[in-house]
Structures are given as structure tokens and as C-alpha cells.
Amino acid sequence: MTYKLRIYKNESLYREVTLTQLRDATYTYKWEKAESGSYSFEVADESNVTYAVTYNHTTPFAHTFDTYLDKDAKPKPITGFQNNIDILIKYNSRENTFSLVKTRFKRLIIDIKDYGYEKISKLEITGTFNNWEIEEIPLKKIGSSKYEIVLAVKEGNYEYKLIFDEKWVPEKENLTLIVGESGALFPKGELGTGRLSYDAIDKNQTEKAIKHDFRKLNYLNKISENEVEFTIRTQLLDVERAYISIDLDEKDIYEKIYELERHSDFTHNFDYFKRSILFDEEVKEFSYVFILEDGNTKYYFDGKLSNKKGRKIKINFEKDKIEVFYVPNWAKEAIWYNIFPDRFYNHNYYNNPVFNEFGPENFEINKLHESNFEEIYKWNTEEETFGKFDTNKWTSDFSEKTDWEIKGESVKQNSLKYARMYGGDLQGIKEKIPYMKELGINAVWLNPVFYSYQNHKYGTNDFRHISPDLGTIRTSGNRYNIEIDDNNPYGDKSYVDILKKSSKNNSELKLLELKLSGENKGKNGYGETEDPSTWIWTESDLIMVDLIKELHRNGIRVIFDGVFNHSSNRHWSFNQVLMEGEESKYKSWYKFSDFSKYIKIEDGMSEEEAYKILNQNRDNIKYSGWAGFDSLPEFNSYNLEFKNYIFNITKKWLLGPDAKVSKNWYEDDGIDGFRLDVPNCLENQVFWIEWREVVKSTKKDTYITAELWGNASYDINQGNKFDAVMNYEWLKTVIGYFINQGYEKNKSYKLKAGEFLNELREKRTWYPKQAIQASQNLNGSHDTDRLLSRIVNDRVGRDLEEGKQQEQGYNGIRPDLASNYHPNTTIDWRSSFIKPKDMLKLISVFQMTYVGAPMLFYGDEVGMWGATDPYCRKPMLWDEFTYDNEMNPSLSNENEVYSQEPDQDLLFWYKKVIKIRKENPVLVYGKFKELYWDDAKDIVVYMRFNANSVIITVLNNSFNDYEDIEIATEEPEERYIDLLTGKSIYSKKDGKIVLGIRAKQGMILKKWKKNI
């Protein structure tokens, strides 16, 4: 059976290819250097029966995108394609599955003359990378006797053979294939021989073992105007000592030589020699060369390796366009708290949402609410409605459904838990600032807060304004004592100034809607357009500013979630296109493809008549939506007007109503930065370079973190996009070591102690120091399961892109009641003397003492549990409430019913470990050094240190108690205080520490100093 793959871009056929069959039911296509864009796919068999590629999840296309084929569906567009990314497409005809994998294909150049051939008519390859199955390679000639082979192979070392016209070559020995930057490409390093590994073993490889690229931050990192970090890479254990020689002028008068510190990456078999050098004054230009010593031989490296000191690398910061990679210190010192506003705390019940993302059209008026919050003609217009809307009860079992859910699910034929509203609001966050302060939080990331009908607000109706259901739906006329500068270019008036007498008891929902007729057609009730001079500060905006100021007064920074890849299909500019059709200037803000069924809104129509047509056009007009969702139309990030709109939005919220950056940030009324949603999905990646300039030039001490799920070195190490990442890779390593229990190398494979340290070491080489220090080391987020639940789902493995786990058999029971009757759980936690929270406590010791900024998802500190969305987004557990019992939601269960309440012991613990982090700056800025690990005992010990302080962290990750663990330090006869227990421990004359440690416990040992 043969299959054809059809690829569509903007609903037009982009490419049609025949899939390559590998095995009985497995077919592939290597899509080389894809163009950025949004694509949809279908597979056709020999009878031209077509199957659409579709899916039912919202996970961004970070690395792998798993889908399925549906004969009766329309292909769903998939976003996340960037220029020059290779895509491996896999199709399984038996299982009816389809996947896309972002990769970098390995390209081999084969010269057939090397094997005694003048010409060939057929080329095949086989090897350990494909279990020695023979794969035919299209003949791609790139010279008289040279051919290119493109392989979709993961990083690693392989053996292979070529097959020319059915004959295997070479006849005897196998060839070696090494994929990725690996020390295995080069001769093995040998210390003390005087010979250095430099050229690759394979003559066709151009990569060198010794590497330094001043254009990349991970090799030359300008930390400040007078501090620079230098890095050179060598083969593992090949160079005894490394130095850098620096001249501050051409006459070599001020030459200084500094020894570099070795950082070994045993995963890829490289050594990285590093040194941060603080100069006496601001440095504008200098020259440098690396000196490598091994045995009695000295080498120089200036881009090339030589035995003689020749030219040096010359740097002029201005000429070479090398700027400080500035990441504010507060972001490195942050203890992050991620708040999902609708689920944190409901202060104002009178402000609860009156409908959800389905809009008033799908609901009857509920007279228990104020029905005049929205126009009467908008309600109950669909053929089958969900009845009367109401928020879900905060303290109920999450499985409990409202009447509208029950009826709505009979109409939609799927779960509507994702669309619930619980009523959390900004006033609720403000009321809980003392709680956060007592916990030790000093930085908050708010999931989206801009105007939206959705509970998660990732589909925005208006970036200019805060969502009324988070601020206020009914206006009060209150100005909240907010100062608005008369010359603020992004809004110099408040809603009170605009509405005057009608600023009280008005509806923000109505005021934010686009006028479809009359003299204010194309504007909202405040008279706003995309021109920032028309913008105002709504009451909900002022409530947000009041919250920002109160957070700042309490020493808590705050960043917004920037969702600039897409909007909702109710965004005001999108509605303009629905209203005006192809003639709208906002058409080019999006990716529209078909206006053939557009219905014109005629002059003289009433607002009600125009609104009905607008909603018809919402279905009639075709466009590209993020992840295939019509409710989330994608922006055209190349459009200049759209870019300016987002840039102005950015400035508005950074500067605040007073239009300035306060010298004392405790008094500032603007936000402190952004977390960026799916930034890899933007087709125009230059957008982020330009946007960063806007952010940093508007407010220097801002922080930009990105939702990038893998190795983001390409986006970080140029220094021109993001400061850091949400560190999902850190979380994967945590899961691999602390949680996984499998001992075969499958998805649930447990990292050994040495492997854990190796992986951490490798990931610390990905980014410059500032980015590593400021990366958000997170327990989880609104997109992942709760870490406490992952502990009792140890067979799930490290995959964080699981989709809807609960429906896939996840163990969603309260973790302390989990048992190994469940297929995802290997431990009987009910009977175990170790409990899941003991493991969470141990992880927290690592989290608070490792490099990077710790982040909690709201409720982690009180033991909240649950699978991925929506179960990780349950309402916060507060001690002041009494919650209904929960029924075990797992597919495999024993009808368990149990209580829900916050874990006060765990809360006390988090307060303690956060306090330790904040009181010891060495845990933020100190160096990291491995001291001890034992694979058999599953114990890891490391040190954080600087000139003034030493802290040693001990982690016993086993289920066994140990006595007489001996750790070597360089500190003889010193006293250490365990900051967790207050106990003293002493090192011997030889610097060794002997200690005992209980199962699944940690120690934080601080070197004691008098008067400290």
C-alpha cells in the first residue's frame, strides 16, 4: 500500500509527496527546512480515500506533536513551524496515528569513489539507528561522485553500512555515525600526553573539538559594562589547565592572565572552561587568546589551535554589536508564585461572571444575576442553549457539575469542565497579599488578565483592558486614588473622565464592545481605536493598577502573561473585519483565507441587526486559528500596524497610568515584565527582537521569560529575545530522578544519582549565567499535572506534554491515598511509611538550593493535587473554607471518598525552605560544585559557595536510612548548622564530614561564622 501526504498552507495545497515505507505499517517523510507558517495535513491511500490529520489537545508544538487521522473531519491547522526547522513526519497506517517531530536532520556527504565506485543507480542505508532495516535514499547528487544522505536520527553514536546497487559497503567493518555535538566525534582525550583532540575522526566532519564563538552568549557573555564571562570548550579530560590572556590595548602593556575553571559535561563528553572577569573600569575593546596546557606542552587558541602565540581575538563591543545581556537581579532572587486568577480567591461575589467563553448566545438570562450587564438581544440566540449560567461552587468536588454543564454536555457531546468559571478576582489576590508575604513570595506571575470571556483568558478580546470579571462588571465611579498623567500617551484619562455622570452603575461588558452602527461605529463605548491617544483607563484597569501598587508596596514584583500569537474571535479588531469584510484595514492583522460567504452589514441597520450578521460572519469567514481552534485566530506578526499596537500595549502596562518609571520600584504603578505564551509559534521571530527593544528601552529592570519547553539556547544565546525560560527541562530532570521508579530505559526510567548530576551539568551549559540564575525552576504550571500527583504517577515518565491525562488513566486520587492497584502507580502509598509529601519536601530542598529562581504554582504549598488541565486548575484550598468530599476521579478506582483540605504541615515547611533561600544570597549567586554521589545509596551532595559563605546540600533520595555517610570538603574542623533542624555538624581535621540521614530527607548545612 502506498500513501500520499498532502500539506496545506492557508487552506491551499502547498506540497504533495509520497510517504516512504519503513516497516509494514510505518511511513515517513523528511520535510527539510520548512518555512514558517501554519499548516494542515491529510493522508490519501491508493484509492484516494483521504484522512484528515486532527487532534483534541492544545499543547503547543514544542518538539513532538501527536495527532490522529479522521476520515470524516476537516484537517486542523497546526502552528509552531519556524523557518529552516526540519520536520520528521511519521504515519502509522495500522494505528491511524500521525506525528510531527521538530529536529535537525543529519546530512552525510558520501563520495562513492572512496569505495571504488564510479557510478550507482540505487543508494540504501542501514544501521543501529533503524535496527538494521534497509532504507532507500533518494539519489541526490551534489558533485561528480558525491551524494547527500539525509537522516532523521536522534543524537547518539551509531554503526551503519551503505548499500550501492544491492552491494553492502564497506564489506567488513561498519562505519561510525555520530549525531549531535559530541566528544565521540573526536579522538578520546588523554590528560598529560601533550596532545590535544581537535580534528574529527571522520574527515567529512568540519566540527572541531575545541570551540569558542564570541557571537554567542554561552561563549562570550557581557554581564555588565566591566564584567565579562569567557568560555572555551575542549574534549573531555583532554586539557590539564586552561587560561585566558587579555590585553586592554594593542601594546600588550596591560596583559593579564587568568586561570579558567573546568566544568565537565559527561553527557556529551566535553569540558567547558569558564571565568567571569571583573575589570577595574568600563571596557569597550580588548584582545584575548586562550592558553591550553597539557603535559609539558602549551597551545594557543584564537579561533584556531596553534603551538605558537599568534594573533588574538579582538573585540570592540560597539563595533561588534555586543551589548550587556542584562537580566535584573530581582528576577534571580525571585521566589515565584504563579496565580491563575479565576481559581485563586473570590473576593467579590457580586462581580462573578454572568456567562463564559460560549458567550451570552448560548445561555438564557439568569435573573439571579444582573441581566442588563449585557444587551438583551445577545442572549439565548442559539438553537440549543445550555440553560441559565452560574459559576461553579468553590468548595465542591471537582466532579460536581452545574445545570448548564449537564445540559451543555448533552449538546456539545464533550466535557465542559474546561469552560467553568469560579469567580476568582483581582480583589481576591489583593486580599491574600499577606498570605503570600508570609509564605515568602516576592514575585508573582499572573496567568492572562486581559479582557476575555474565557476562564483562562488565553483568547483575548482586548489587550488594552483588564477583564471585567476580574475587576468589576458594574462601574462604581471610584478612581482608586490612581494618578493618571495628563500627557500619558497610552491613556491620559480614566473612565470617570469619559463617562462623567454615567460612570456609576454602568456595565463594563457593554462599554468594551465594538459599536456596529451609528456615529461611533468601529469604536467601543469609550471611543477607543488602535490609536493609543484614544485609550482610557477603565475601572478594572484601575483595580489592577491598585493591585500592582499594593504588591509593590509589599515587596512583590508582578509580571503579566503576554499572549501575542493569537486573540479570541471576539477581539475588537477581529470584529472589525467581521463587520467590514475584505475592505477592513484590520484584515491584514490576521490570516484570513476566504470571504466568499461574507455578509455585508448595511448602513442604517440597528445594532441588533448588525450583531446577528456579525455572528453569522464569525462562521462564514475562514481564517487560521492557533492549534486549529476557530476561537483563537492567529495574528499576522509581520503586519506593521499590529506590531505597533502590541508595542503600545506593552508600554501602557509597563509604565502604568503615571507614564513613568519610579526611581523606587516599591512606588511604581507598572508591571515588571512578561511571561510570553507560545512565542515559538509566531511566524515572524524577528518580532521578539523588536519587542525586546521596546521592553528594555521602556523600563530597564524588566524581566522577559518565555514558554519554551525544550532546549531554548537558540532563542536565549543571541541575547536579543528573552531573558530566561520557564524551566520545564529542570522539572523533567526532577521527575527523572526523584519520581520515576523504572529501572529499564523506558519512559519511566529512574535517573541514578550520577546521571542526575550529569543532566543538570549539561543543562547548565545551555545558557549564559544570567539566564540560568533567572530561569523559573517550576513545580508545574496550568499546563501540567500537579507535582504532588506526578509523584504517585511514577509510570507516566517525564513527558510533560501528555494532553488530557485524566482521560488517559491518570491516578487523580489525593496522593496520600494512592495505591499500586492503579496502573500508573508502583508504590502502595497508603501503607508506606514515606508519604508523597515527604518526596515533595525533598524536591523543595533541591529547588530552593539549586541554581535558578524557584516557582510554585498556586496551591503547591498546601498540597493541591490533580492531573493536567483542567484538574491542575482547581480552586485554591483555603483554610477558612470547608470543602466537600471528593470522589476518586481516576478511571481505575475503588470508589474512594475523602476530604479536601489544605496541608498546614506542608505550608509550614515551604515557609521554612523559602526563608532559607531568601536569607542566603549564596543560594542565588554562589557557584555550584558537586561534592558526592552514590548510585547505590541514591544520595547526592553539592555545595553553593562564594568568598563569604558555604552551604552544602545533602539529598537522600532513597527509601532507606543511612548512617556514616562520609563527604569530603576542603574545610577542616569547621562547624556547620543544618538550617532545617538547627543541629550542628563538624568536619574532621581532614575536612571530611560524617553524617546520618533519614530516607527521603535532605539537609542544608551552612558553614558557621561567628557573629553571623
Side-chain angles (χ1 to χ4, degrees):
M1 177 72 78
T2 61
Y3 292 92
K4 289 191 179 296
L5 170 69
R6 297 188 185 115
I7 305 175
Y8 297 89
K9 187 175 184 181
N10 298 328
E11 300 199 357
S12 297
L13 183 63
Y14 175 77
R15 182 174 298 177
E16 181 175 289
V17 296
T18 300
L19 291 169
T20 300
Q21 186 172 7
L22 295 185
R23 292 178 291 279
D24 288 345
T26 303
Y27 298 79
T28 67
Y29 170 58
K30 301 186 189 95
W31 185 4
E32 296 185 63
K33 297 181 178 179
E35 294 180 295
S36 64
S38 174
Y39 296 90
S40 54
F41 306 85
E42 66 181 16
V43 174
D45 63 19
E46 292 171 343
S47 303
N48 203 32
V49 176
T50 59
Y51 301 86
V53 173
T54 186
Y55 47 92
N56 59 4
H57 60 90
T58 60
T59 305
F61 185 10
H63 177 263
T64 302
F65 201 90
D66 291 315
T67 69
Y68 59 88
L69 295 176
D70 192 333
K71 187 177 177 181
D72 300 318
K74 179 183 176 183
K76 278 190 176 183
I78 298 168
T79 62
F81 297 86
Q82 296 175 8
N83 273 329
N84 294 319
I85 294 292
D86 294 327
I87 306 290
L88 175 63
I89 294 177
K90 297 179 182 179
Y91 166 56
N92 188 298
S93 60
R94 182 181 299 121
E95 298 175 4
N96 215 33
T97 57
F98 186 96
S99 69
L100 303 115
V101 181
K102 287 181 182 176
T103 185
R104 292 284 182 186
F105 293 148
K106 177 70 175 179
R107 292 168 173 86
L108 293 177
I109 307 300
I110 303 298
D111 192 337
I112 62 174
K113 284 186 176 179
D114 291 345
Y115 306 97
Y117 284 75
E118 292 294 328
K119 64 178 182 178
I120 59 174
S121 58
K122 187 177 182 181
L123 173 60
E124 297 169 298
I125 192 170
T126 184
T128 55
F129 50 79
N130 65 1
N131 295 318
W132 293 103
E133 294 191 19
I134 295 173
E135 178 183 354
E136 184 173 355
I137 303 296
L139 288 174
K140 186 176 181 181
K141 204 168 186 179
I142 60 171
S144 60
S145 61
K146 293 183 178 180
Y147 293 84
E148 182 181 64
I149 295 177
V150 178
L151 296 174
V153 183
K154 294 180 180 179
E155 284 193 5
N157 303 343
Y158 307 93
E159 292 184 353
Y160 73 101
K161 281 186 181 292
L162 300 167
I163 305 173
F164 298 160
D165 297 333
E166 311 295 340
K167 294 183 179 179
W168 290 43
V169 291
E171 291 184 6
K172 296 181 179 179
E173 73 277 7
N174 294 331
L175 296 168
T176 300
L177 175 67
I178 299 170
V179 181
E181 288 198 30
S182 168
L185 284 166
F186 311 100
K188 187 176 179 181
E190 294 183 75
L191 292 172
T193 63
R195 300 185 305 273
L196 298 189
S197 178
Y198 187 54
D199 291 312
I201 297 169
D202 183 347
K203 67 178 184 178
N204 294 316
Q205 293 280 352
T206 58
E207 183 76 17
K208 304 296 183 184
I210 301 173
K211 183 176 182 179
H212 170 79
D213 186 349
F214 71 84
R215 299 171 192 84
K216 293 184 178 178
L217 278 169
N218 52 333
Y219 285 103
L220 180 70
N221 176 16
K222 189 178 180 184
I223 296 172
S224 68
E225 298 297 346
N226 63 339
E227 184 178 5
V228 183
E229 182 184 49
F230 299 88
T231 302
I232 184 171
R233 186 192 79 184
T234 71
Q235 175 68 301
L236 181 70
L237 301 178
D238 190 44
V239 175
E240 290 184 320
R241 289 171 299 277
Y243 304 86
I244 187 169
S245 169
I246 299 178
D247 300 329
L248 294 181
D249 70 11
E250 294 181 358
K251 298 178 181 179
D252 289 1
I253 296 174
Y254 299 104
E255 179 181 17
K256 291 187 177 181
I257 297 177
Y258 304 85
E259 186 168 4
L260 307 181
E261 183 179 356
R262 184 194 308 267
H263 298 261
S264 297
D265 174 5
F266 290 96
T267 304
H268 293 97
N269 295 318
F270 288 121
D271 279 334
Y272 292 86
F273 289 91
K274 293 175 173 287
R275 178 71 180 259
S276 289
I277 298 173
L278 187 64
F279 298 98
D280 294 335
E281 57 187 26
E282 181 179 329
V283 177
K284 294 183 179 177
E285 59 181 349
F286 56 88
S287 303
Y288 63 99
V289 66
F290 292 100
I291 305 169
L292 306 176
E293 292 183 353
D294 188 65
N296 297 318
T297 309
K298 183 181 290 185
Y299 295 87
Y300 298 89
F301 186 82
D302 58 7
K304 293 183 179 180
L305 190 66
S306 174
N307 289 107
K308 297 180 180 179
K309 186 177 181 181
R311 64 185 181 86
K312 294 187 174 183
I313 302 169
K314 293 186 177 181
I315 295 293
N316 182 301
F317 283 145
E318 187 173 327
K319 184 178 177 181
D320 294 318
K321 297 181 180 178
I322 298 174
E323 299 178 351
V324 171
F325 182 53
Y326 180 75
V327 180
N329 283 342
W330 70 260
K332 304 166 190 173
E333 298 167 5
I335 307 293
W336 286 101
Y337 199 61
N338 173 198
I339 294 177
F340 194 95
D342 181 63
R343 308 295 164 84
F344 188 60
Y345 190 71
N346 188 351
H347 170 84
N348 184 2
Y349 288 88
Y350 294 103
N351 192 54
N352 282 356
V354 294
F355 52 82
N356 63 8
E357 63 187 70
F358 295 108
E361 294 85 4
N362 281 281
F363 295 99
E364 301 170 10
I365 293 175
N366 188 340
K367 293 187 178 179
L368 292 175
H369 305 147
E370 296 190 49
S371 56
N372 65 352
F373 279 157
E374 192 55 277
E375 303 290 355
I376 297 297
Y377 60 78
K378 293 182 179 180
W379 293 93
N380 199 22
T381 58
E382 293 295 317
E383 288 185 14
E384 290 188 85
T385 61
F386 303 165
K388 296 176 181 178
F389 178 80
D390 211 343
T391 55
N392 287 70
K393 179 184 168 188
W394 194 276
T395 58
S396 65
D397 178 355
F398 200 71
S399 64
E400 183 180 309
K401 298 177 181 179
T402 59
D403 290 341
W404 70 262
E405 280 182 273
I406 296 169
K407 186 175 180 182
E409 288 177 4
S410 69
V411 175
K412 292 285 184 180
Q413 297 297 310
N414 57 20
S415 173
L416 299 186
K417 290 189 290 288
Y418 311 103
R420 290 175 174 178
M421 308 289 270
Y422 280 86
D425 48 43
L426 302 183
Q427 296 98 322
I429 297 172
K430 182 179 178 181
E431 186 168 324
K432 292 300 181 179
I433 288 176
Y435 169 85
M436 288 185 275
K437 195 172 180 182
E438 185 179 347
L439 177 58
I441 298 304
N442 58 15
V444 165
W445 157 39
L446 300 177
N447 286 108
V449 292
F450 297 127
Y451 175 36
S452 170
Y453 287 174
Q454 301 157 340
N455 60 44
H456 52 76
K457 314 223 176 293
Y458 280 96
T460 306
N461 295 1
D462 196 334
F463 292 100
R464 297 170 298 195
H465 300 300
I466 301 302
S467 202
D469 57 296
L470 298 180
T472 186
I473 298 177
R474 178 203 283 273
T475 61
S476 68
N478 191 344
R479 295 175 184 264
Y480 298 88
N481 297 315
I482 302 297
E483 174 193 346
I484 301 177
D485 188 273
D486 292 339
N487 298 309
N488 188 336
Y490 312 105
D492 60 0
K493 295 179 178 63
S494 76
Y495 76 105
V496 178
D497 300 315
I498 296 296
L499 300 178
K500 300 188 186 319
K501 290 183 179 180
S502 60
S503 64
K504 197 170 184 179
N505 295 328
N506 214 320
S507 167
E508 271 200 10
L509 288 175
K510 289 182 182 179
L511 289 163
L512 289 173
E513 290 304 311
L514 194 71
K515 301 299 180 186
L516 306 177
S517 63
E519 60 177 331
N520 288 320
K521 182 179 179 181
K523 299 177 182 179
N524 63 18
Y526 300 108
E528 294 176 306
T529 68
E530 83 276 11
D531 182 354
S533 68
T534 67
W535 297 355
I536 63 99
W537 295 85
T538 67
E539 183 167 0
S540 292
D541 294 349
L542 297 181
I543 291 171
M544 172 56 79
V545 174
D546 181 56
L547 171 61
I548 292 167
K549 294 184 72 173
E550 189 64 20
L551 286 165
H552 283 170
R553 276 192 289 267
N554 283 274
I556 300 174
R557 300 275 189 169
V558 58
I559 65 172
F560 277 4
D561 205 323
V563 192
F564 304 141
N565 174 71
H566 52 266
S567 71
S568 78
N569 63 351
R570 297 175 186 265
H571 190 273
W572 63 266
S573 60
F574 191 84
N575 280 345
Q576 285 268 27
V577 182
L578 299 184
M579 179 176 68
E580 298 168 345
E582 286 190 272
E583 303 303 316
S584 175
K585 66 177 181 177
Y586 299 107
K587 172 192 171 185
S588 58
W589 282 32
Y590 295 90
K591 301 171 186 176
F592 288 98
S593 57
D594 186 359
F595 282 85
S596 60
K597 294 183 180 180
Y598 165 74
I599 303 173
K600 185 178 180 181
I601 295 178
E602 303 288 350
D603 291 340
M605 281 185 172
S606 68
E607 198 74 14
E608 181 176 354
E609 291 170 326
Y611 185 77
K612 287 180 179 178
I613 293 176
L614 186 86
N615 275 341
Q616 288 178 272
N617 285 335
R618 209 179 301 283
D619 296 324
N620 292 343
I621 298 174
K622 303 303 179 186
Y623 51 89
S624 176
W626 181 79
F629 289 93
D630 290 340
S631 59
L632 301 173
E634 284 192 305
F635 284 121
N636 172 15
S637 52
Y638 290 98
N639 182 268
L640 183 60
E641 287 75 21
F642 161 72
K643 288 198 296 185
N644 286 333
Y645 168 66
I646 296 299
F647 294 166
N648 288 328
I649 290 293
T650 301
K651 292 174 185 177
K652 168 178 176 170
W653 291 105
L654 287 174
L655 293 174
D658 67 5
K660 67 181 182 182
V661 179
S662 301
K663 291 181 179 179
N664 181 355
W665 74 269
Y666 289 91
E667 300 172 355
D668 200 78
D669 64 354
I671 61 173
D672 301 289
F674 286 88
R675 175 267 190 188
L676 297 173
D677 182 63
V678 294
N680 57 317
C681 287
L682 261 73
E683 289 183 33
N684 178 18
Q685 287 293 301
V686 176
F687 176 94
W688 296 122
I689 298 173
E690 298 170 343
W691 183 79
R692 180 185 178 87
E693 284 290 320
V694 170
V695 171
K696 296 293 184 177
S697 62
T698 301
K699 198 173 192 176
K700 181 183 177 183
D701 274 345
T702 47
Y703 171 67
I704 304 170
T705 184
E707 182 201 7
L708 297 169
W709 291 58
N711 182 343
S713 55
Y714 180 81
D715 292 298
I716 298 293
N717 291 343
Q718 311 302 313
N720 58 2
K721 283 187 179 179
F722 319 121
D723 292 336
V725 295
M726 296 176 65
N727 206 351
Y728 285 111
E729 285 296 322
W730 176 87
L731 179 56
K732 289 178 184 178
T733 304
V734 164
I735 292 170
Y737 179 57
F738 292 100
I739 296 174
N740 285 3
Q741 299 297 325
Y743 289 90
E744 295 182 7
K745 294 217 171 183
N746 54 21
K747 70 177 184 178
S748 63
Y749 170 68
K750 183 197 177 319
L751 293 175
K752 297 176 182 176
E755 292 170 329
F756 171 60
L757 290 174
N758 287 348
E759 195 166 297
L760 292 173
R761 190 186 308 117
E762 172 200 344
K763 291 177 179 180
R764 289 198 304 276
T765 68
W766 288 355
Y767 311 126
K769 181 168 72 172
Q770 306 95 304
I772 294 168
Q773 291 173 331
S775 288
Q776 294 169 307
N777 293 346
L778 67 166
N779 278 359
S781 72
H782 62 290
D783 285 326
T784 69
D785 50 342
R786 292 279 182 173
L787 189 57
L788 189 59
S789 278
R790 178 66 68 125
I791 289 169
V792 302
N793 283 271
D794 53 84
R795 282 202 176 102
V796 171
R798 294 206 258 175
D799 186 2
L800 297 174
E801 301 175 54
E802 287 284 329
K804 309 308 177 191
Q805 294 167 323
Q806 195 72 55
E807 285 74 14
Q808 297 171 2
Y810 192 86
N811 194 353
I813 196 172
R814 197 178 75 193
D816 60 305
L817 300 176
S819 181
N820 52 7
Y821 75 77
H822 194 281
N824 275 330
T825 307
T826 64
I827 297 169
D828 182 5
W829 293 100
R830 293 176 186 172
S831 305
S832 173
F833 70 97
I834 297 291
K835 295 300 178 186
K837 77 172 178 180
D838 296 321
M839 294 182 66
L840 187 60
K841 287 180 178 181
L842 181 64
I843 292 170
S844 75
V845 172
F846 171 60
Q847 183 182 32
M848 297 298 162
T849 59
Y850 187 63
V851 188
M855 183 166 81
L856 303 182
F857 186 39
Y858 77 94
D860 286 344
E861 73 279 9
V862 292
M864 288 184 67
W865 64 91
T868 49
D869 168 27
Y871 302 94
C872 59
R873 305 178 184 184
K874 294 177 185 177
M876 174 70 174
L877 292 175
W878 293 111
D879 191 42
E880 66 200 76
F881 297 145
T882 299
Y883 291 80
D884 297 344
N885 288 342
E886 180 179 271
M887 297 180 64
N888 183 358
S890 311
L891 294 181
S892 298
N893 66 70
E894 296 178 346
N895 299 314
E896 297 95 337
V897 178
Y898 44 87
S899 63
Q900 304 181 81
E901 64 269 327
D903 188 324
Q904 297 299 324
D905 168 68
L906 193 58
L907 177 60
F908 177 80
W909 172 266
Y910 267 104
K911 289 177 183 178
K912 177 188 286 188
V913 291
I914 288 172
K915 187 171 186 283
I916 291 171
R917 172 86 180 191
K918 292 174 72 175
E919 290 180 347
N920 293 278
V922 68
L923 296 176
V924 177
Y925 298 107
K927 294 182 179 180
F928 180 94
K929 183 178 181 181
E930 300 160 3
L931 290 182
Y932 171 92
W933 67 91
D934 187 315
D935 287 345
K937 290 184 171 68
D938 210 4
I939 291 177
V940 165
V941 183
Y942 56 84
M943 179 169 68
R944 303 296 306 280
F945 66 99
N946 57 27
N948 301 312
S949 185
V950 173
I951 287 182
I952 296 172
T953 299
V954 184
L955 304 171
N956 179 4
N957 191 36
S958 76
F959 286 87
N960 302 308
D961 300 341
Y962 289 106
E963 302 293 336
D964 301 328
I965 299 295
E966 189 174 81
I967 301 162
T969 77
E970 298 174 359
E971 306 283 347
E973 297 184 306
E974 289 289 352
R975 178 187 176 189
Y976 293 85
I977 307 294
D978 184 354
L979 299 179
L980 293 172
T981 65
K983 294 181 180 178
S984 294
I985 295 174
Y986 297 86
S987 60
K988 299 178 180 180
K989 288 183 179 180
D990 60 2
K992 291 181 179 177
I993 296 175
V994 179
L995 51 85
I997 187 166
R998 301 288 299 276
K1000 295 294 179 185
Q1001 288 195 5
M1003 305 173 77
I1004 304 175
L1005 307 177
K1006 182 175 182 179
K1007 181 181 172 182
W1008 182 78
K1009 285 190 175 184
K1010 292 180 180 179
N1011 302 322
I1012 293 182

